[in-house]
Amino acid sequence: MHEVIICEKPSSAEKIAKALSPSAKRKIYNKKVKYWELKKDSKDITIVSGVGHLYSLVPNKQKYKISFDLHWIPAHKANKSSAYTKNYLNAIKKVGKNADSYIHACDYDVEGTLIGYNVLKYACGEDSLSKASRMKFSTLTKKDILDAYENRIGIDMHQVDNGIARHVLDYYFGMNISIALSDSVKKTKHRFLKLSVGRVQTPTLSILVDREKEIRDFIPEPYWNLKAILDFEDIEIKHVDGNIFDSTRADEIYSKCNGKDATVDKITLSKSKTKPPVPFNLSGLQAEAYNVFGFSPKRTQVAAQNLYSAGYTSYPRTSSQKLPESIEFENIFKQLAKNYEYKSHIDKLPNKLVPHNGKKDDPAHPPIHPTGILPSNLNKDEQKIYNLIVYRFIAVFFESAEFESMRTTLDIEGEKFKFNRRRVIHKGWMEHYPFKKIDNEKFPDVKEGDLMSVKELIKEEKETKPPARYNQASLIKELEKKNLGTKATRADIVDKLYDRKYISGTKIEVNELGENLIDTLNTYCNKLTSEKLTRDLEVQLEGINQDKTTKESVVKEGEKDVKEILEDIDKNLSGIGSKLYEAYQATNIVGDCPNCGGKLIKRYSPKTKSSFVGCSNYPDCTTIYSIPKGTNFLKKRCEKCGLLIISFGKPRQRACLDPNCGKDNTKPHKPTEVGECPECGEQLLKRSGRYGEFIGCSGFPKCRFTCSVEELKSKLK
C-alpha cells in the first residue's frame, strides 16, 4: 500500500519523515528537489513538499484585462518569477500518481489548507481528495507529528472555501481595479502608469493618508510648564496644573513663586501590582520585537516562521493568548533548563504552573511558545526572536511585580507643585523577563512640613504637537483593531505599500502619489478606500469557516462591489487619469531638463519592461536617458553637467545620469531625424541610450516602433 504525504515546505517534509521513521531515506528529483521514502505499518510512505503556493489564479481569457472568470494554473506558468516551483510540482506529480491514500500535512490555517488542497486536486488528480486525510499540528516536534499522524482528521472544506474566496476577491479588487486605474491614465494621457490597489492595501493606505493630513493641518497651540529645582538632591518639582494654556496665568504663578521656598504639604504612599504579560500571538510578538529590537513586522514574522520550521517554536500565525495545559508546560521547562541561562529562571518557577493568559483565542493554534528543543546555528535575528519567545513563556508563569509609589505635594506661596517616585518591592515576573525596564527610584528622606530651598524656578514655553506618525508595528496594531487583513497578511500589506513607493521612512510618511491616489479614489469611487467594505467582507469570509455563509455568496457580493467601483472609474475616466498622472509626475521628478528647462521624470516602458528618464515636455523635447535596473537617484549632482548622480549594480556603482557625460565624442546630445517611420509615417529619430544608439518613432507612445541602427540600415537596403 502506497501513501503520499504532502507538505508545504521542504523543512516540514524532513521533520515529518524523521519523526515517522529515523531510517527514512532521502531521495532527489531532477537533482534539485528532496523527498523522503520510508516504511511504516506495512505501508510504503513517500513524503514530498511544495514551496508555498504551487498554483495561481489567472483569467480564462487575456491577461492584464479586467476579468471575473478565473481558474487555477501552475504558478510557474502564471509568473516567470515562480519558475523555481516547477520542479517541486513535477516531483509531486511523479510520486503522487495513483497512490492508495494521501495525507494533507501543510500548515493548519486557511492558506496552508488551500495550498495542499490545490496540490491534491490538480497535481495528484481530483480523485485523490476522496482518499485524503489531514494532519493537524502546531509544532514540528516528534510527539506532535506522531500524534497528528495517528489522529488524522478530514480536510476542512470551510477553510478551503475561505481560501479560494480570499484569492478570488483579492484578484477582483487588486488586479481588476489596478488595471482600470492604469487604463484611465493610458486613455487620458497616453502614458503607461503601473498602479497598485487592493482590498486591504487601499484602506490601509487611506489610514496613513488621514494621519498625514492630520499632521499637516495641525495648528500648534502654545502652552507653558512651570517647574522648580530644589536644593535638596536637585529634585525637580512640577506645577500640578501641568500644561498651562493661559500665558497670564503662567506669568502670575512665576511672579508669585520666583525666589520663594517650598514647604512639603502632603506625602502619599501607595502600593500597586503589575500583572505578568500574556503569551505572544503574532501581532504581540511583532509589536514587542519592534519595541525591543526595532524589527519590522515582516522581519519578525520571517524569523518566527524559520524557528517553527526548524521545530524550535510553535506555529507563529496565531491569534491566541491562552496557553493550554495540553502542551505540557513541565516537559518544555525541563528541556529548556538544559540551557544554563534559562535554568536560572526556570528553577524559581512556582510549584503550580498557571499561566497568565490573555483574552484572545484561536481555535486552530495555541500562542507562540518554545517547544523545548534547544536550537543550534541560529542567525542573529532568529536568536533574538527565540530569546524573546522563551523569556515571555517563562515570565507568564510568575507572580505580579509589586511597587510602592510616593506622591509628594509641595506648596510655594499657595501654588501646588509635585514630584512622584516609584520603587520595586517585589520584582516578580520582571526579574525573569530581561526586556522590561524596572522602575526602582530612590525615595528622598523628606516629611510633611519640611521647608525646602528652591534653587531655580523655570517657566518653559512649548507648543502642542501633532499626532505621531505610525510605525510599522503601530500600524499593524491599528489594522488588527479595525479588523482589516489577517494576522498572516498584515505585514505583507505594509511591505507592499513600501514596495509600491506609496510610503517611506521608519516613521511612516505618505508620498504625493500615495496621497493623490487616495484623494482621487475618495473623490470618484470611495467604496475602495472604505474600511467598512473591507471589514464587512472580512466578516463574511470568517462566516464561511463558521458555516454562516458560502464561498459563492461572498464572491458574488465582492464581484458586485468591484463592478460598482469599475463603473465609477469609467464615469470619471478623464479626471482620474489626469490626477493620477500629475501625481505620478510630481513624485518621479528627478531634476531639470538640460535642453529645454522642463522636468526630467522617471518613467517605465512596458515594451522594454525597464525604466528610463525622459523630459516632461515630450514630444516637443525628446531628451531621454536610459537607466539600469535598480537605479537609485542620489542628492549629489554631477560637477560637469549638473545632472543627478545615480547608483546602480552590485556592488553599487556611481555615475552621472547622462552616460555620455565627460566622453570625448561628437555624437549629438539631441536625437536626430533619420527618416520616416514604416508603421505610422512620423519622423524616425536616432537616439543615444546607456546601451548604445537606437532608432525610435517620434510618435511614441501611440506608435512604439523601435529598431537598432543596424536593422534600419538593412531595411533601407
Side-chain angles (χ1 to χ4, degrees), residues 59-72:
N60 278 324
K61 295 181 180 179
Q62 190 176 354
K63 277 187 180 182
Y64 311 118
K65 294 291 182 184
I66 293 170
S67 175
F68 295 92
D69 186 15
L70 310 175
H71 68 287
W72 295 95

Side-chain angles (χ1 to χ4, degrees), residues 498-513:
Y498 278 103
D499 291 341
R500 300 292 187 265
K501 310 297 183 187
Y502 292 149
I503 61 174
S504 61
T506 304
K507 294 180 179 179
I508 301 173
E509 295 185 53
V510 183
N511 69 24
E512 194 166 345
L513 179 60

Side-chain angles (χ1 to χ4, degrees), residues 701-717:
K702 289 183 179 179
C703 177
R704 298 178 179 272
F705 176 80
T706 59
C707 68
S708 67
V709 175
E710 289 71 21
E711 286 174 330
L712 182 65
K713 287 178 181 177
S714 64
K715 287 181 180 181
L716 292 174
K717 289 179 182 178

